[in-house]
Amino acid sequence: MESFVFVALTPLAAALMAAVGAVAWRRRDTPGGRGLAAFSGVSACWVVTDALSVLVPTPDATVLLAQMSALWGPLLGVSWFSFLLSHTERFTPAARTLVRVFVVWGLAYAILGMTNPAHGLVWSSWEAIPDGPFLTITYTLGPAGWVQSAFMWTVVSASLVVLVRAYAHEGRSRRALSWWIVVGALVPLTINMVHATSLGSITKDFTPLAMAVSSAAFALGLARYRFLDLKPVARAALIDTLGDGVLVLDTRGRVVDTNSALSRALEIAPIHPGQLLSDIADDLARAVEDQPVDPVPLATRSGIRYFDLRVSPIEGLSGEASGRLVVIRDVTRRRRERLALREANHDLHHANAELHARNEELDAFAHTVAHDLKNSTHGLLGLAEIVRDEGQLLPPDVHREITEEIVRTASRMGDVVHELLLLARVRQADIDLRPVAMRAVVEEALDRVRQSHGLDPASVDAPARWPIATGYAPWIEEVWANYLSNAIKYGGSLISVGADVRVDGDVRFWVHDDGPSLTPAEQAQLFVPFSRLRSESAEGHGLGLSIVHRIAGRLGGACGVESAPGEGNRFWFSLPSFDGGVPHPHPTHQSVAESSA
């Protein structure tokens, strides 16, 4: 009766296995396709061979066909193992090597099965007995047979563990499919174990026929869950290869799916489906709720990084909201480049403004110098022509007056040229900053002023000792000469010089006069090139204080003026102090005009 049931169900089982194998072969390029095709084909061959062993009329033929079935058992385990590893995308080079070892074992076991009457390693005893009109074989497993049974149980169990672990955190449909595959594998495995251990009363091994249950489970997967369809495989491959992070959330904020790029961008461990996003990355969860337009700063292990978030609703077939799709792009580098570009544009704007100011300075230079030199040249030429044409006829005192005026005019023209050359040198020259003996520098400047303006050095109040500052003595002498000359020309009768050590470490040197105080508007114009206050009484060309401004900046200091009604004017410049080591100038300060109330 058992053989009749087996033979009756064999056509249905073989057809089902063949159909599943054909569909799997058509989708052989998808993960698991080739393995499932091989598994279905081997199962069909096993059940057909076993059915033929029941149908043949002689005991020898029954035993021979039963021996041939020894080939299908090992190959069935190998194809099953290959199918699950490929379907779960774990078919690594090491797994391929293991499959080759299993194939070798299967071929060796097939040879042992065909030669079993000589050694009894597969079956230690066997007998063909009638079962109604059919013959069936009963046997007792030998050592090799028990090894093969243990091999099959181990391979199938290990494969199921791999399957469960792979799909434990997957979506609902993938988990449902994995349980159908588990059921499809456990049914024939359980029947084989029951038969091998003689726990039941059934003598016929129904394991080949039970493979139809596996085929039915796989057919259900093919029809319902389309696990060999190329579309979900391609979609998964596309998401995994995206450079942007992808996050799928359900309506409760739980993670449904992610890709590896998300974990890399956020510098966190891979997120498993089913977890609440707020428990993993609370700042990201809040950003998803807010759906910001601007890049969002998120804290990572390497510091704050900026991300663009694109949140899109996901609708079900009925149109209701079923979740959200979040695409995350790291824009930290782009943001830094934009900031750098913005700073570069700011610097360029500043450079353009400075260039514009310099152009205006040059325009003022061209206008002022050309005008003054032209007037001086014309005056000089006129006086020289008088001396040339009428010099012998002029009274001695007139002749002397004219020649002195020629000398004064030429001297003023020389002063203009000297100041212009000095202004250019201060902008371009490389200098060596050293400690400055300020007393000697001031005395040299006073001597120059005395020769130019007839100033008596004794009329200038100066300290006996000076603090040591860092600078370049020739240029500092020009600063003192300019300040002292202006004090004589525009100040009163009392002139004093001195120095103060500031709390920031700089030394401020100053020239104080008791002349008329300056208004804030006049103070603002003092250090502008070619500008002259009270031009009706002013001398020179407006270059002096612009030279002071440039020198002070190049030496790492600043310059300015303090003026208050009834207290005169104090013109100052500052230099870095010398602490006994290598002199280093401070960063250039802005020149300022300070007004004390």
Side-chain angles (χ1 to χ4, degrees):
M1 185 63 181
E2 296 174 1
S3 298
F4 176 82
V5 174
F6 189 97
V7 172
L9 294 178
T10 293
L12 178 61
L16 184 58
M17 294 173 184
V20 174
V23 175
W25 181 252
R26 289 176 59 185
R27 292 167 172 78
R28 58 186 177 275
D29 292 328
T30 60
R34 295 178 186 275
L36 182 56
F39 176 82
S40 300
V42 172
S43 299
C45 291
W46 190 6
V47 72
V48 170
T49 303
D50 212 349
L52 290 176
S53 70
V54 173
L55 293 174
V56 293
T58 63
D60 291 338
T62 297
V63 172
L64 178 62
L65 288 171
Q67 289 175 323
M68 291 177 60
S69 66
L71 173 65
W72 308 121
L75 292 183
L76 192 67
V78 173
S79 60
W80 169 261
F81 186 72
S82 301
F83 158 65
L84 278 190
L85 288 182
S86 178
H87 180 61
T88 57
E89 299 182 346
R90 284 167 170 77
F91 207 40
T92 62
R96 291 188 177 91
T97 301
L98 188 60
V99 166
R100 295 187 185 100
V101 173
F102 290 168
V103 171
V104 172
W105 160 252
L107 294 177
Y109 186 79
I111 294 174
L112 291 175
M114 294 300 296
T115 60
N116 186 74
H119 48 72
L121 293 176
V122 176
W123 302 326
S124 60
S125 62
W126 61 94
E127 181 182 7
I129 60 175
D131 183 16
F134 308 105
L135 289 174
T136 184
I137 188 169
T138 61
Y139 54 85
T140 302
L141 289 177
W146 281 110
V147 170
Q148 166 59 21
S149 295
F151 164 76
M152 280 289 296
W153 299 338
T154 302
V155 167
V156 174
S157 300
S159 302
L160 294 180
V161 171
V162 171
L163 178 69
V164 172
R165 291 187 62 182
Y167 292 150
H169 301 290
E170 290 289 347
R172 182 181 303 173
S173 62
R174 298 285 281 183
R175 289 198 300 270
L177 172 61
S178 68
W179 287 118
W180 277 104
I181 296 177
V182 169
V183 170
L186 287 179
V187 171
L189 180 64
T190 303
I191 292 177
N192 181 259
M193 294 178 65
V194 170
H195 178 266
T197 55
S198 301
L199 295 178
S201 59
I202 298 176
T203 59
K204 175 64 180 173
D205 185 5
F206 277 79
T207 302
L209 195 62
M211 289 299 178
V213 178
S214 300
S215 294
F218 299 147
L220 176 64
L222 289 170
R224 182 174 180 180
Y225 299 105
R226 303 171 66 189
F227 71 93
L228 289 181
D229 225 343
L230 186 60
K231 182 177 180 180
V233 174
R235 180 177 298 169
L238 174 62
I239 292 176
D240 286 338
T241 56
L242 282 176
D244 296 339
V246 176
L247 176 65
V248 181
L249 302 173
D250 63 13
T251 54
R252 300 181 182 178
R254 294 180 301 186
V255 177
V256 177
D257 196 7
T258 65
N259 65 350
S260 56
L262 179 74
S263 301
R264 291 196 303 269
L266 299 179
E267 300 180 11
I268 59 176
I271 302 175
H272 297 299
Q275 296 176 279
L276 283 171
L277 181 61
S278 58
D279 293 340
I280 306 165
D282 185 58
D283 51 353
L284 176 59
R286 290 196 302 269
V288 171
E289 294 297 328
D290 295 339
Q291 299 188 22
V293 177
D294 297 327
V296 178
L298 299 178
T300 65
R301 286 197 298 267
S302 61
I304 299 297
R305 304 189 68 82
Y306 290 83
F307 298 89
D308 269 343
L309 267 62
R310 296 293 179 265
V311 183
S312 304
I314 300 176
E315 296 181 353
L317 297 177
S318 60
E320 77 281 1
S322 59
R324 284 171 291 183
L325 173 66
V326 184
V327 179
I328 301 174
R329 173 172 297 180
D330 189 341
V331 295
T332 306
R333 180 178 178 182
R334 186 179 70 187
R335 187 175 184 274
R336 290 173 180 169
E337 290 174 349
R338 286 183 176 177
L339 290 177
L341 181 59
R342 187 179 303 170
E343 292 177 0
N345 289 335
H346 175 75
D347 293 342
L348 181 60
H349 177 75
H350 179 73
N352 287 337
E354 184 177 352
L355 180 60
H356 180 71
R358 290 188 179 183
N359 288 337
E360 290 184 345
E361 180 180 323
L362 290 175
D363 289 341
F365 155 76
H367 178 270
T368 303
V369 174
H371 178 75
D372 288 351
L373 289 180
K374 179 180 178 181
N375 291 339
S376 298
T377 302
H378 285 170
L380 188 63
L381 288 175
L383 295 174
E385 288 175 353
I386 293 174
V387 174
R388 182 195 63 188
D389 297 337
E390 304 177 11
Q392 296 179 353
L393 303 177
L394 293 174
D397 56 340
V398 176
H399 186 280
R400 182 177 180 82
E401 182 180 349
I402 292 175
T403 54
E404 287 180 352
E405 182 61 27
I406 291 175
V407 171
R408 285 193 299 270
T409 302
S411 178
R412 287 197 299 269
M413 295 173 67
D415 290 341
V416 173
V417 173
H418 169 75
E419 291 176 343
L420 291 173
L421 292 176
L422 178 60
L423 197 64
R425 285 199 304 271
V426 171
R427 185 188 297 275
Q428 301 173 359
D430 293 329
I431 56 173
D432 186 15
L433 301 181
R434 296 177 178 274
V436 178
M438 196 59 68
R439 179 175 183 141
V441 173
V442 174
E443 290 177 352
E444 288 290 335
L446 286 171
D447 188 56
R448 285 175 52 181
V449 174
R450 180 185 61 79
Q451 295 178 14
S452 300
H453 302 281
L455 175 67
D456 182 3
S459 63
V460 177
D461 184 18
R465 300 187 61 178
W466 293 85
I468 302 177
T470 300
Y472 182 59
W475 287 1
I476 297 173
E477 182 182 327
E478 294 292 337
V479 175
W480 282 113
N482 269 286
Y483 277 175
L484 289 169
S485 297
N486 286 341
I488 294 171
K489 289 186 289 186
Y490 308 116
S493 58
L494 299 178
I495 300 175
S496 60
V497 297
D500 302 311
V501 179
R502 311 287 289 182
V503 293
D504 58 5
D506 284 354
V507 181
R508 177 176 288 190
F509 301 93
W510 46 264
V511 175
H512 186 275
D513 65 69
D514 61 346
S517 62
L518 301 172
T519 65
E522 290 173 330
Q523 295 177 43
Q525 291 293 320
L526 278 177
F527 296 92
V528 177
F530 308 106
S531 65
R532 287 179 292 181
L533 303 182
R534 303 164 186 173
S535 57
E536 68 278 0
S537 60
E539 301 178 17
H541 307 276
L543 287 170
L545 292 183
S546 64
I547 293 175
V548 171
H549 173 269
R550 189 163 296 175
I551 288 175
R554 280 298 308 275
L555 297 182
C559 60
V561 63
E562 299 172 355
S563 182
E567 297 182 7
N569 308 293
R570 174 172 290 193
F571 288 82
W572 59 266
F573 68 97
S574 63
L575 294 174
S577 63
F578 178 68
D579 57 3
V582 178
H584 296 286
H586 298 309
T588 301
H589 302 288
Q590 288 290 334
S591 297
V592 295
E594 299 176 355
S595 178
S596 57

